Amino acid sequence: MKVQIVFAVLFAFTVYSECEYIDGSYIVQLKDDTTEVHIEEVIQKIEEHTLSSREDMEITSSSLLLPLIFGKFDKQTAEMVSGLESVELVEQDQVVTIDMPLENPAEYPTDDIVYEDKNHTTSDESDCHDSDNDFKDMEEMNWYNLTEGSDVGARKFPVPKRYNLDIIDNTHCIDGYFTPYSNGRGVDIYIIDSGINYRNKDFRYLEGGHGRAIYGGFDVEPSNYGWDTSGHGTHCAGIAGGVHSGVAKEANLISIRVVGKKGAGSVLIKGMDHAYERHLSRVGQSGFKGSVMSMSISSGFSQIKNNHVNAMVGKGITIVTASGNQGIDASNRSPGSAGQNINVGSHGYTKLDCKKPVAGSSNYGKSVHIVAPGVKVLSA
């Protein structure tokens, strides 16, 4: 879909993570022809080898897309498992963290959370924006009149201060407007990140009213209900689908929170699986057009994470990843280096001209499929 590709190019903003392994935590990928019986056999062998129960080792499994086992055991057990006939790969899990400090996270009441009811509105109408993200200029232009009959043909949106939108919609660079192919109505964008601040006014509907950003049902800290405690996920959600800051201004924004103070590759995979299950429940519903997963997170290279991303794309999900901001070859980072995803690097364009020097911090190389604005981008 054109709308997916249009807003895909904006995800150059990324989470930074050093290559840090998690002691005693492993991910096992079994071969494609594996059955539930084979998965159970491998788990039993792990129990026999360690003389510990699966509960003690926190062993879980998934066969939604790839046959996977997650668990906590020692290196010797991992080596034993890697030699089993039904096992394809064994990897030590890696930490994924955000490079922004997590200070004094907001206390959000759970009774204000939007789940699946788009008619529900939050009780707090405050804007929750930084002072630099002033949307007064947008509201004075009365966007709601400009978007009457949205999603039918091209619509022009005045975009002062948002060069990142202005530059991606035409070959003539800056013209003062953002004219997308579509506003993304019927598309679900899963923000697989640090959460979303649902109350942010950038997540209103074009015609007004709250409820377009919702909790997707997965949080690394379940009692947090997908609320953003760092600001990163909210910023990325705004770039994807903010009514003022974003490309797909009528898409649904769904929080899948896989990073708190720290995250892990295993949690990322489980979050993706949860999003995919929700996607399957949406297929066939009136007005539903498809799903996109936005992942501006990265860790060191992981073949299992990459395999999982490619399997997800093979099921019809558009996956957009940030290439990373370490200034290195992007093939050394996952999940961006998977191959079937859209991996986005950052260019340093900030002036009203058409020069697009690659940002010095952006990762580069054959694993980068496209570059997009990634410097001084205003968002939620």
Side-chain angles (χ1 to χ4, degrees), residues 2-34:
K2 287 183 178 180
V3 64
Q4 294 175 350
I5 302 303
V6 169
F7 63 69
V9 302
L10 290 174
F11 297 108
F13 191 74
T14 186
V15 174
Y16 174 74
S17 171
E18 294 181 355
C19 186
E20 179 184 352
Y21 290 100
I22 301 174
D23 290 340
S25 185
Y26 291 88
I27 307 173
V28 180
Q29 179 184 335
L30 286 78
K31 294 179 180 178
D32 290 342
D33 58 353
T34 297

Short mmCIF file of all heavy atoms in Angstrom, two decimals, residues 2-34:
data_model
loop_
_atom_site.label_atom_id
_atom_site.label_comp_id
_atom_site.label_asym_id
_atom_site.label_seq_id
_atom_site.Cartn_x
_atom_site.Cartn_y
_atom_site.Cartn_z
N LYS A 2 0.46 2.24 -0.77
CA LYS A 2 1.26 3.45 -0.87
C LYS A 2 1.39 4.15 0.47
O LYS A 2 2.43 4.69 0.80
CB LYS A 2 0.65 4.41 -1.90
CG LYS A 2 0.85 3.95 -3.34
CD LYS A 2 0.29 4.96 -4.30
CE LYS A 2 0.53 4.54 -5.75
NZ LYS A 2 -0.02 5.52 -6.70
N VAL A 3 0.31 4.15 1.25
CA VAL A 3 0.37 4.86 2.52
C VAL A 3 1.41 4.26 3.44
O VAL A 3 2.10 4.97 4.16
CB VAL A 3 -1.01 4.87 3.21
CG1 VAL A 3 -1.47 3.49 3.58
CG2 VAL A 3 -0.97 5.77 4.44
N GLN A 4 1.59 2.97 3.39
CA GLN A 4 2.58 2.34 4.24
C GLN A 4 3.98 2.77 3.86
O GLN A 4 4.80 3.07 4.72
CB GLN A 4 2.46 0.81 4.13
CG GLN A 4 1.13 0.28 4.69
CD GLN A 4 0.98 -1.19 4.47
OE1 GLN A 4 1.76 -1.82 3.76
NE2 GLN A 4 -0.04 -1.77 5.07
N ILE A 5 4.26 2.81 2.57
CA ILE A 5 5.59 3.19 2.13
C ILE A 5 5.86 4.66 2.41
O ILE A 5 6.95 5.03 2.82
CB ILE A 5 5.77 2.90 0.62
CG1 ILE A 5 5.52 1.41 0.34
CG2 ILE A 5 7.14 3.31 0.17
CD1 ILE A 5 6.40 0.48 1.12
N VAL A 6 4.85 5.51 2.26
CA VAL A 6 5.05 6.93 2.49
C VAL A 6 5.47 7.19 3.92
O VAL A 6 6.44 7.89 4.17
CB VAL A 6 3.76 7.71 2.16
CG1 VAL A 6 3.87 9.15 2.66
CG2 VAL A 6 3.54 7.75 0.66
N PHE A 7 4.74 6.63 4.93
CA PHE A 7 5.13 6.98 6.28
C PHE A 7 6.28 6.13 6.78
O PHE A 7 6.92 6.44 7.76
CB PHE A 7 3.96 6.97 7.26
CG PHE A 7 3.29 5.66 7.48
CD1 PHE A 7 3.91 4.65 8.13
CD2 PHE A 7 1.97 5.49 7.06
CE1 PHE A 7 3.27 3.46 8.36
CE2 PHE A 7 1.32 4.30 7.30
CZ PHE A 7 1.97 3.28 7.95
N ALA A 8 6.61 5.08 6.02
CA ALA A 8 7.73 4.24 6.42
C ALA A 8 9.04 5.01 6.43
O ALA A 8 9.90 4.76 7.26
CB ALA A 8 7.85 3.05 5.48
N VAL A 9 9.20 5.96 5.52
CA VAL A 9 10.49 6.60 5.37
C VAL A 9 10.82 7.54 6.52
O VAL A 9 11.91 8.10 6.57
CB VAL A 9 10.57 7.39 4.05
CG1 VAL A 9 10.32 6.49 2.88
CG2 VAL A 9 9.59 8.56 4.02
N LEU A 10 9.92 7.68 7.47
CA LEU A 10 10.17 8.66 8.52
C LEU A 10 10.84 8.08 9.76
O LEU A 10 11.23 8.82 10.63
CB LEU A 10 8.85 9.31 8.93
CG LEU A 10 8.26 10.24 7.88
CD1 LEU A 10 6.89 10.72 8.31
CD2 LEU A 10 9.17 11.41 7.62
N PHE A 11 10.97 6.78 9.85
CA PHE A 11 11.43 6.21 11.11
C PHE A 11 12.95 6.14 11.20
O PHE A 11 13.53 5.09 11.36
CB PHE A 11 10.82 4.83 11.31
CG PHE A 11 9.34 4.86 11.42
CD1 PHE A 11 8.53 4.39 10.41
CD2 PHE A 11 8.76 5.43 12.53
CE1 PHE A 11 7.18 4.44 10.52
CE2 PHE A 11 7.39 5.48 12.65
CZ PHE A 11 6.59 4.99 11.64
N ALA A 12 13.60 7.29 11.12
CA ALA A 12 15.04 7.33 11.26
C ALA A 12 15.45 7.57 12.70
O ALA A 12 16.61 7.46 13.03
CB ALA A 12 15.62 8.42 10.37
N PHE A 13 14.51 7.91 13.56
CA PHE A 13 14.79 8.15 14.97
C PHE A 13 14.89 6.79 15.64
O PHE A 13 14.04 5.93 15.46
CB PHE A 13 13.63 8.95 15.56
CG PHE A 13 13.90 9.50 16.93
CD1 PHE A 13 14.75 10.57 17.09
CD2 PHE A 13 13.27 8.96 18.03
CE1 PHE A 13 14.97 11.09 18.35
CE2 PHE A 13 13.49 9.47 19.28
CZ PHE A 13 14.34 10.54 19.45
N THR A 14 15.92 6.54 16.41
CA THR A 14 16.17 5.19 16.87
C THR A 14 16.50 5.08 18.35
O THR A 14 16.94 6.05 18.97
CB THR A 14 17.32 4.55 16.07
OG1 THR A 14 17.44 3.18 16.44
CG2 THR A 14 18.64 5.23 16.34
N VAL A 15 16.29 3.92 18.90
CA VAL A 15 16.76 3.59 20.24
C VAL A 15 18.19 3.09 20.14
O VAL A 15 18.53 2.35 19.21
CB VAL A 15 15.88 2.46 20.84
CG1 VAL A 15 16.43 1.98 22.16
CG2 VAL A 15 14.45 2.93 20.99
N TYR A 16 19.03 3.48 21.05
CA TYR A 16 20.42 3.04 21.03
C TYR A 16 20.61 1.89 22.01
O TYR A 16 20.11 1.91 23.12
CB TYR A 16 21.36 4.17 21.41
CG TYR A 16 22.80 3.72 21.53
CD1 TYR A 16 23.54 3.42 20.40
CD2 TYR A 16 23.37 3.55 22.78
CE1 TYR A 16 24.85 2.99 20.52
CE2 TYR A 16 24.68 3.13 22.90
CZ TYR A 16 25.42 2.85 21.77
OH TYR A 16 26.70 2.41 21.88
N SER A 17 21.34 0.89 21.61
CA SER A 17 21.65 -0.22 22.51
C SER A 17 23.04 -0.74 22.23
O SER A 17 23.38 -1.04 21.09
CB SER A 17 20.64 -1.36 22.33
OG SER A 17 21.06 -2.49 23.04
N GLU A 18 23.90 -0.80 23.26
CA GLU A 18 25.17 -1.47 23.11
C GLU A 18 24.90 -2.97 23.01
O GLU A 18 23.86 -3.46 23.43
CB GLU A 18 26.07 -1.17 24.30
CG GLU A 18 26.48 0.30 24.39
CD GLU A 18 27.38 0.55 25.58
OE1 GLU A 18 27.58 -0.40 26.37
OE2 GLU A 18 27.87 1.68 25.71
N CYS A 19 25.86 -3.69 22.45
CA CYS A 19 25.72 -5.14 22.33
C CYS A 19 26.01 -5.75 23.70
O CYS A 19 27.15 -6.01 24.05
CB CYS A 19 26.68 -5.67 21.26
SG CYS A 19 26.47 -7.41 20.91
N GLU A 20 24.99 -5.94 24.47
CA GLU A 20 25.12 -6.44 25.84
C GLU A 20 24.30 -7.71 25.99
O GLU A 20 23.09 -7.71 25.82
CB GLU A 20 24.63 -5.37 26.82
CG GLU A 20 24.70 -5.80 28.28
CD GLU A 20 24.11 -4.76 29.21
OE1 GLU A 20 23.80 -3.64 28.75
OE2 GLU A 20 23.96 -5.07 30.41
N TYR A 21 24.99 -8.80 26.32
CA TYR A 21 24.31 -10.09 26.44
C TYR A 21 23.72 -10.25 27.84
O TYR A 21 24.24 -9.72 28.82
CB TYR A 21 25.27 -11.22 26.14
CG TYR A 21 25.65 -11.30 24.68
CD1 TYR A 21 26.87 -10.77 24.25
CD2 TYR A 21 24.79 -11.85 23.74
CE1 TYR A 21 27.22 -10.81 22.90
CE2 TYR A 21 25.13 -11.90 22.40
CZ TYR A 21 26.35 -11.38 21.99
OH TYR A 21 26.69 -11.41 20.66
N ILE A 22 22.64 -10.99 27.93
CA ILE A 22 21.98 -11.26 29.20
C ILE A 22 22.47 -12.60 29.72
O ILE A 22 22.26 -13.64 29.09
CB ILE A 22 20.45 -11.27 29.03
CG1 ILE A 22 19.98 -9.92 28.48
CG2 ILE A 22 19.77 -11.58 30.36
CD1 ILE A 22 18.51 -9.88 28.13
N ASP A 23 23.13 -12.59 30.86
CA ASP A 23 23.70 -13.81 31.42
C ASP A 23 22.62 -14.87 31.66
O ASP A 23 21.58 -14.59 32.26
CB ASP A 23 24.41 -13.51 32.74
CG ASP A 23 25.69 -12.71 32.55
OD1 ASP A 23 26.23 -12.72 31.42
OD2 ASP A 23 26.15 -12.07 33.53
N GLY A 24 22.89 -16.05 31.16
CA GLY A 24 22.03 -17.18 31.45
C GLY A 24 20.66 -17.14 30.80
O GLY A 24 19.75 -17.84 31.23
N SER A 25 20.51 -16.34 29.75
CA SER A 25 19.21 -16.24 29.07
C SER A 25 19.41 -16.55 27.59
O SER A 25 20.27 -15.95 26.94
CB SER A 25 18.63 -14.83 29.24
OG SER A 25 17.34 -14.76 28.69
N TYR A 26 18.61 -17.49 27.07
CA TYR A 26 18.83 -17.97 25.70
C TYR A 26 17.51 -18.05 24.92
O TYR A 26 16.43 -18.19 25.49
CB TYR A 26 19.49 -19.35 25.72
CG TYR A 26 20.92 -19.32 26.22
CD1 TYR A 26 21.20 -19.43 27.58
CD2 TYR A 26 21.98 -19.14 25.33
CE1 TYR A 26 22.51 -19.38 28.04
CE2 TYR A 26 23.29 -19.10 25.78
CZ TYR A 26 23.55 -19.20 27.13
OH TYR A 26 24.85 -19.14 27.58
N ILE A 27 17.67 -17.95 23.60
CA ILE A 27 16.56 -18.16 22.66
C ILE A 27 16.94 -19.32 21.76
O ILE A 27 18.04 -19.35 21.20
CB ILE A 27 16.30 -16.91 21.81
CG1 ILE A 27 16.10 -15.68 22.69
CG2 ILE A 27 15.06 -17.13 20.92
CD1 ILE A 27 16.00 -14.39 21.90
N VAL A 28 16.04 -20.27 21.62
CA VAL A 28 16.28 -21.45 20.78
C VAL A 28 15.29 -21.41 19.62
O VAL A 28 14.08 -21.30 19.83
CB VAL A 28 16.08 -22.75 21.59
CG1 VAL A 28 16.33 -23.97 20.70
CG2 VAL A 28 16.99 -22.77 22.82
N GLN A 29 15.81 -21.51 18.40
CA GLN A 29 14.94 -21.64 17.22
C GLN A 29 15.03 -23.06 16.72
O GLN A 29 16.13 -23.57 16.43
CB GLN A 29 15.35 -20.67 16.11
CG GLN A 29 14.48 -20.81 14.86
CD GLN A 29 14.92 -19.93 13.70
OE1 GLN A 29 15.56 -18.90 13.91
NE2 GLN A 29 14.58 -20.33 12.50
N LEU A 30 13.89 -23.72 16.59
CA LEU A 30 13.86 -25.08 16.06
C LEU A 30 13.64 -25.03 14.55
O LEU A 30 13.33 -23.99 13.98
CB LEU A 30 12.76 -25.88 16.75
CG LEU A 30 13.08 -26.30 18.20
CD1 LEU A 30 12.88 -25.15 19.17
CD2 LEU A 30 12.23 -27.49 18.62
N LYS A 31 13.81 -26.16 13.91
CA LYS A 31 13.70 -26.22 12.45
C LYS A 31 12.25 -26.03 12.01
O LYS A 31 11.31 -26.24 12.79
CB LYS A 31 14.26 -27.54 11.94
CG LYS A 31 15.77 -27.66 12.17
CD LYS A 31 16.35 -28.97 11.70
CE LYS A 31 17.85 -29.03 11.96
NZ LYS A 31 18.45 -30.33 11.54
N ASP A 32 12.08 -25.64 10.76
CA ASP A 32 10.76 -25.25 10.26
C ASP A 32 9.72 -26.34 10.36
O ASP A 32 8.53 -26.07 10.52
CB ASP A 32 10.87 -24.77 8.80
CG ASP A 32 11.60 -23.44 8.69
OD1 ASP A 32 11.71 -22.74 9.72
OD2 ASP A 32 12.06 -23.11 7.59
N ASP A 33 10.15 -27.60 10.23
CA ASP A 33 9.19 -28.70 10.26
C ASP A 33 8.90 -29.19 11.68
O ASP A 33 8.30 -30.25 11.89
CB ASP A 33 9.68 -29.86 9.40
CG ASP A 33 11.04 -30.39 9.84
OD1 ASP A 33 11.65 -29.77 10.74
OD2 ASP A 33 11.49 -31.40 9.28
N THR A 34 9.31 -28.39 12.65
CA THR A 34 9.12 -28.77 14.05
C THR A 34 7.65 -28.76 14.44
O THR A 34 6.89 -27.87 14.05
CB THR A 34 9.90 -27.80 14.97
OG1 THR A 34 11.30 -27.92 14.68
CG2 THR A 34 9.67 -28.13 16.43
#
